Amino acid sequence: MDYQVFDTTLRDGAQREGISFSVADKLAVARLLDEFGVGFIEGGWPGAMPKDTEFFRRARTELDLKHAQLVAFGATRKAGTDVAVDPQIAALLDSEAPVVCLVAKSDIRHVERALRTTGDENLAMVRDSVAHFRAHGRRVFVDCEHFFDGFRFDPDYTASVVRAALDAGAERVVMCDTNGGMLPSRITAAIEDLTARLGIEADRLGIHCQNDTSCAVANTIAAVEAGVRHFQCTANGYGERPGNADLFAVVSNLQLKLGLPVLPDGCLEKAVRVAHGIAEIANIAPDTHQAYVGAAAFAHKAGLHASAIKVDPVLYNHVDPAVVGNDMRILVTEMAGRASIELKAKELGVDLAGQPEALSRVTKRVKELEADGWSFEAADASFELLVRSELPGAEPVRPFALESYRVIVEHREDGAVVSEATVKVRVGEQRVIATAEGNGPVNALDEALRQSLSAHYPALATFELADYKVRILEGSHGTSAVTRVLVGTKAAVDDGWTTVGVHENVVEASWHALVDALTYGVDHAV
Amino acid sequence: MDYQVFDTTLRDGAQREGISFSVADKLAVARLLDEFGVGFIEGGWPGAMPKDTEFFRRARTELDLKHAQLVAFGATRKAGTDVAVDPQIAALLDSEAPVVCLVAKSDIRHVERALRTTGDENLAMVRDSVAHFRAHGRRVFVDCEHFFDGFRFDPDYTASVVRAALDAGAERVVMCDTNGGMLPSRITAAIEDLTARLGIEADRLGIHCQNDTSCAVANTIAAVEAGVRHFQCTANGYGERPGNADLFAVVSNLQLKLGLPVLPDGCLEKAVRVAHGIAEIANIAPDTHQAYVGAAAFAHKAGLHASAIKVDPVLYNHVDPAVVGNDMRILVTEMAGRASIELKAKELGVDLAGQPEALSRVTKRVKELEADGWSFEAADASFELLVRSELPGAEPVRPFALESYRVIVEHREDGAVVSEATVKVRVGEQRVIATAEGNGPVNALDEALRQSLSAHYPALATFELADYKVRILEGSHGTSAVTRVLVGTKAAVDDGWTTVGVHENVVEASWHALVDALTYGVDHAV
């Protein structure tokens, strides 16, 4: 029977302090999750959150999901209200998501004190809401909020909520450890108790764990071991408070330790890339020490292990790092390994298989740059330029040479804030000076650079700066911080490409990324 | 019967990439661990590591431990060597630590391939070494390296290593999940199997888990539930690869969930302070999202909860945060409502309870600003200034008035990248012009602003820019993107405060955040 890998990065994960996804970010995360092969992507709460309403609207035309179905999250109807006229319910239908996941109160104390209604009305709310969506042809999951705490306090009531949801047509009823206080043995015991009380199989249930005891992953595994087949996770465990169960750890454990084929073939090895890609979009530094996907997850330090590892990696790695797209590091270094680089280059259309020296040069350059804070994970175009610059005959053409630039930002006495940039470049034989204004220093610089090149490269007129991300990276070993900039560029005939720049000065870092963006775009346009 | 809380931050935890404890650091960490009430502090490997030899030497006179005993870590004697002349063994005795913890190979494959000796010789190594230290009056623990992998591969051999250690006088034999690949249910099964085979009680055993499956805490709990009473952890889960079992999560779970009195009275509430203190010494940023002790561990967001929390905190916190020395924080978010804002203001010392009009004004302003991209979630200082600016009589004093500023970034012909800022301000009656350079446009602006104010506000000299974060936020409804900047400032007598600034221009956004930072700092300094 199938497992349901249900991801809620975009709904529950977004509750994490510091995360603020734009609609474009949400679409990008959804694409990555779909690549990773999850079965369900809970996209948000349409109606309640304007950005989420917009996400579901745009998803209809902009998301082409291969593995996942989109899920709209919401709540059961309001107490004392007819489900047919409840606006929150209507908004879920309007989202046109094929699946809805409804949160229902399942702890009688919350029903009485937070919702201020009766246990019976709450059951009616569950039944009416589930039936309503079933009648409209939606698949329905029900999230039993505070399930375990409620079940401990009043097991009969909580079990009756589960029964009501199942009887009304919910495909699965999810036991949510909303306060996150559970331990694995207690999860197992609760599932055994509940299934016995209701006379149901555990596969009618789902599990959703928060990480307040630092056991979310283990709790999720325990539930699956008890027969549950639907589990809710978030990428990198993002979520409120100590977060949610980490998708990558849960899936890797289930697939590699328990031998359960929870993802489609070929998906697990994308774990590192997807984990880091989502972190980039969320603008959160990836956790170096994260299980399976962290840069240091398989990095063995010196001492008892290092020399022996080379002889017998199996003796020291609990799994082969390659199965999650990671690799083993002996020295304290960054991520780049020859195999990853060769694979990545191939993905971008550059075949290094028969060119070991070029591969070595590229690997060395990537390592050096990564030590300085560069990261090519989310910057394919910069990576391609780097690889090709090491391949005689395939080097990209540099469209210009920089002489100098100057950027000025002024906050004037009248309160106006203005940005102006001047670039002096050499294009072929010609020296060009261009000045432009912008809504910020980098925008002004970008405008000035394009202006200086537009006569020579008409294709530039079709390029559009689509995305701009900045991250400040802590300096290592006492050096000062550096800034990493990612620039996304789109063109009329191209979905877009991303480039990177790193420097202690944000303007200079942006310059690098902009130059790579224009170089790549011009190179691909001819 | 007593539990043995065995901390190995200074030995195994120190393997974490990026940690490098000086001897003074180790002594400071040991004092904190002792305050927290652990029973054993594994201080290092004297003889093998010079800093550790020094640590044990200085500990004799400089450490006055109230709860813990110091443990010297080492290995069983070398194969084919008499224990009495083995220098590594002698160094452990020389350390004068009352307790020794010896790592022994317990996986026959490691015995044969890594040690290049026989299973029998390995057993003799274990017996001889344990007996030697017992004869010298030391308490002895034995760490069975790769226990679970070895036990799965050749259970008879691995069990014989445990037997040999116990028979020779080891107080407890520790099952180490060295590769970190275990899951809780497998820990339980292994313990049941081992104790049955050897006809021993589980309390003869200890547990040491690595976190490669993200289950180290849960695995440790499972072992204790199976009757094990000695467990090895590290502060904040520091360690190689994904680290070790987090001491604070393990102890909090055992004490608060399982009701086991593993620490002396009054110690658990020091968790937050000890966790953060050790992070400071290790020079690692505390994990905001760490269970129990993280700053966000009890921070509630979301419309579903915030208003209800006021009514009934018990319904939303899995434990009372105060028992670990933490507290509940309400996050001021996109979903800000009056209740969240009132709670937040109260947390910052501003009571809006009896001032509904002021609360309305503040709520309205927060919503307007948030719609423009402002976020006060991680910017308490800016939020406090905003709230007080709406309260007649409590308004913050503005230390200066801006006339104008100008920031220049140049990439010169010789390749040098320089940043320079000039500010013109009015401080009281005086007009001040200051110019400074920096490693980027914002750094230059910050330096110039401080320079302009330093004569009037000497306290500024103690402020230090500690953190700087930039996020580009997609414009909503077709408007262009805005930049949100968070600035963290520290002072000699203050842990630090965070401020925010939002504008389409990153320099102007930074300006706002810097001005708030200085305003708040000066206001609190008087």
Side-chain angles (χ1 to χ4, degrees), chain A residues 104-113 122 144-151 153-154 157-158 161, chain B residues 315:
Chain A
K105 296 295 182 201
S106 69
D107 178 326
I108 189 64
R109 295 167 298 184
H110 284 260
V111 172
E112 292 172 348
R113 293 187 235 172
N122 185 52
C144 283
E145 208 197 26
H146 297 287
F147 172 83
F148 295 97
D149 297 338
F151 190 62
F153 180 79
D154 183 344
Y157 184 73
T158 301
V161 175
Chain B
L315 288 191

Side-chain angles (χ1 to χ4, degrees), chain A residues 66-396:
Chain A
K66 307 258 177 311
H67 298 121
Q69 283 200 298
L70 265 192
V71 181
F73 173 87
T76 46
R77 68 157 171 83
K78 202 170 160 146
T81 303
D82 188 326
V83 68
V85 303
D86 184 321
Q88 187 265 142
I89 297 281
L92 294 185
L93 278 176
D94 292 346
S95 76
E96 293 182 26
V99 187
V100 297
C101 187
L102 304 172
V103 64
K105 296 295 182 201
S106 69
D107 178 326
I108 189 64
R109 295 167 298 184
H110 284 260
V111 172
E112 292 172 348
R113 293 187 235 172
L115 282 189
R116 311 255 179 93
T117 191
T118 66
D120 282 345
E121 172 60 4
N122 185 52
L123 292 176
M125 286 154 61
V126 170
R127 280 190 292 260
D128 294 350
S129 308
V130 173
H132 185 74
F133 287 104
R134 292 296 295 134
H136 280 85
R138 306 296 201 265
R139 293 174 74 176
V140 179
F141 297 125
V142 171
D143 276 353
C144 283
E145 208 197 26
H146 297 287
F147 172 83
F148 295 97
D149 297 338
F151 190 62
R152 182 169 55 244
F153 180 79
D154 183 344
D156 289 328
Y157 184 73
T158 301
S160 74
V161 175
V162 176
R163 165 65 71 209
L166 287 172
D167 287 352
E171 191 170 319
R172 284 193 162 86
V173 178
V174 185
M175 303 168 291
C176 299
D177 182 18
T178 309
N179 284 353
M182 293 297 281
L183 299 175
S185 59
R186 295 177 170 183
I187 295 272
T188 308
I191 294 170
E192 281 167 6
D193 187 348
L194 179 72
T195 50
R197 270 175 203 266
L198 293 181
I200 59 171
E201 293 298 318
D203 75 7
R204 305 277 67 233
L205 305 167
I207 184 73
H208 174 122
C209 296
Q210 300 292 134
N211 198 34
D212 297 71
T213 54
S214 208
C215 292
V217 170
N219 288 342
T220 306
I221 303 295
V224 173
E225 285 178 316
V228 171
R229 290 173 189 277
H230 167 118
F231 46 93
Q232 304 195 352
C233 305
T234 64
N236 307 324
Y238 294 152
E240 210 180 343
R241 306 188 315 274
N244 291 43
D246 174 14
L247 171 69
F248 305 106
V250 168
V251 161
S252 299
N253 284 339
L254 292 177
Q255 204 148 301
L256 301 174
K257 302 290 176 184
L258 299 186
L260 304 175
V262 300
L263 290 181
D265 286 342
C267 285
L268 187 60
E269 64 211 42
K270 301 177 190 173
V272 169
R273 190 165 62 75
V274 171
H276 286 209
I278 292 176
E280 277 292 336
I281 296 166
N283 203 25
I284 294 173
D287 178 2
T288 331
H289 297 270
Q290 195 171 333
Y292 289 106
V293 300
F298 296 92
H300 299 274
K301 202 161 167 174
L304 286 174
H305 309 304
S307 51
I309 278 174
K310 293 187 71 178
V311 176
D312 228 324
V314 157
L315 288 192
Y316 296 94
N317 288 333
H318 73 113
V319 298
D320 173 4
V323 300
V324 291
N326 209 335
D327 62 66
M328 193 167 70
R329 294 193 285 125
I330 308 298
L331 305 175
V332 177
T333 65
E334 267 50 46
M335 271 297 295
R338 286 174 67 93
S340 324
I341 287 176
E342 191 184 326
L343 263 170
K344 184 75 192 172
K346 188 166 165 187
E347 198 183 299
L348 298 174
V350 182
D351 193 354
L352 294 173
Q355 311 193 55
E357 277 145 44
L359 179 54
S360 293
R361 283 197 301 277
V362 170
T363 303
K364 182 165 180 281
R365 277 213 64 204
V366 170
K367 284 185 164 161
E368 285 164 358
L369 289 168
E370 282 184 344
D372 286 341
W374 292 72
S375 164
F376 296 94
E377 240 157 55
D380 282 0
S382 285
F383 184 72
E384 185 188 308
L385 293 176
L386 187 159
V387 171
R388 287 172 47 199
S389 65
E390 296 292 339
L391 291 178
E395 297 104 326

Side-chain angles (χ1 to χ4, degrees), chain B residues 202-246:
Chain B
D203 74 8
R204 306 276 66 234
L205 305 168
I207 183 73
H208 174 121
C209 297
Q210 301 291 134
N211 198 34
D212 297 70
T213 54
S214 209
C215 292
V217 170
N219 288 342
T220 305
I221 303 297
V224 174
E225 286 178 316
V228 171
R229 292 174 186 276
H230 167 118
F231 45 95
Q232 304 195 352
C233 305
T234 64
N236 306 324
Y238 294 152
E240 212 179 338
R241 305 188 316 273
N244 290 43
D246 174 13

Side-chain angles (χ1 to χ4, degrees), chain B residues 191-496:
Chain B
I191 293 171
E192 284 169 4
D193 186 347
L194 178 72
T195 50
R197 269 173 203 268
L198 293 181
I200 59 173
E201 293 299 317
D203 74 8
R204 306 276 66 234
L205 305 168
I207 183 73
H208 174 121
C209 297
Q210 301 291 134
N211 198 34
D212 297 70
T213 54
S214 209
C215 292
V217 170
N219 288 342
T220 305
I221 303 297
V224 174
E225 286 178 316
V228 171
R229 292 174 186 276
H230 167 118
F231 45 95
Q232 304 195 352
C233 305
T234 64
N236 306 324
Y238 294 152
E240 212 179 338
R241 305 188 316 273
N244 290 43
D246 174 13
L247 171 70
F248 305 107
V250 168
V251 162
S252 299
N253 282 339
L254 293 177
Q255 203 148 303
L256 302 174
K257 302 291 175 182
L258 299 188
L260 304 175
V262 300
L263 290 181
D265 287 343
C267 284
L268 187 58
E269 63 211 41
K270 301 177 191 173
V272 169
R273 191 166 62 75
V274 171
H276 286 206
I278 293 177
E280 277 291 336
I281 296 167
N283 201 26
I284 293 173
D287 178 1
T288 332
H289 297 271
Q290 194 171 334
Y292 289 106
V293 301
F298 296 92
H300 298 274
K301 198 170 170 171
L304 281 179
H305 307 305
S307 51
I309 279 175
K310 285 185 73 176
V311 177
D312 228 325
V314 156
L315 288 191
Y316 296 93
N317 289 332
H318 74 113
V319 299
D320 174 1
V323 300
V324 291
N326 209 336
D327 61 64
M328 193 166 73
R329 286 197 295 126
I330 306 296
L331 302 179
V332 178
T333 74
E334 288 161 0
M335 296 172 268
R338 288 174 66 94
S340 319
I341 286 176
E342 191 184 328
L343 266 168
K344 184 71 190 174
K346 189 167 167 187
E347 197 183 299
L348 298 174
V350 182
D351 192 354
L352 293 173
Q355 309 193 58
E357 278 146 41
L359 179 54
S360 293
R361 283 197 304 274
V362 170
T363 303
K364 182 166 180 286
R365 278 212 64 206
V366 169
K367 286 190 162 159
E368 284 164 359
L369 289 168
E370 283 184 341
D372 287 341
W374 292 72
S375 165
F376 296 95
E377 228 163 68
D380 282 2
S382 285
F383 182 71
E384 184 188 311
L385 293 176
L386 186 160
V387 171
R388 287 173 47 200
S389 66
E390 296 293 338
L391 290 177
E395 297 102 328
V397 173
R398 304 289 169 182
F400 71 96
L402 171 69
E403 188 185 292
S404 70
Y405 70 70
R406 180 181 63 235
V407 179
I408 302 175
V409 174
E410 290 184 78
H411 180 127
R412 297 187 178 152
E413 257 183 272
D414 62 6
V417 178
V418 294
S419 308
E420 181 193 290
T422 298
V423 299
K424 298 179 185 176
V425 297
R426 201 167 287 278
V427 192
E429 292 304 313
Q430 206 183 333
R431 185 172 180 259
V432 182
I433 300 177
T435 296
E437 292 176 323
N439 59 23
V442 174
N443 178 230
L445 189 60
D446 181 46
E447 291 291 330
L449 178 57
R450 286 159 182 263
Q451 207 178 299
S452 72
L453 303 177
S454 60
H456 290 83
Y457 301 103
L460 277 183
T462 69
F463 300 173
E464 187 190 312
L465 187 69
D467 198 17
Y468 178 78
K469 286 180 161 60
V470 180
R471 256 186 91 70
I472 315 299
L473 307 171
E474 203 177 78
S476 51
H477 318 298
T479 59
S480 55
V482 290
T483 302
R484 181 197 295 157
V485 167
L486 286 175
V487 163
T489 311
K490 274 202 305 207
V493 292
D494 193 313
D495 271 342

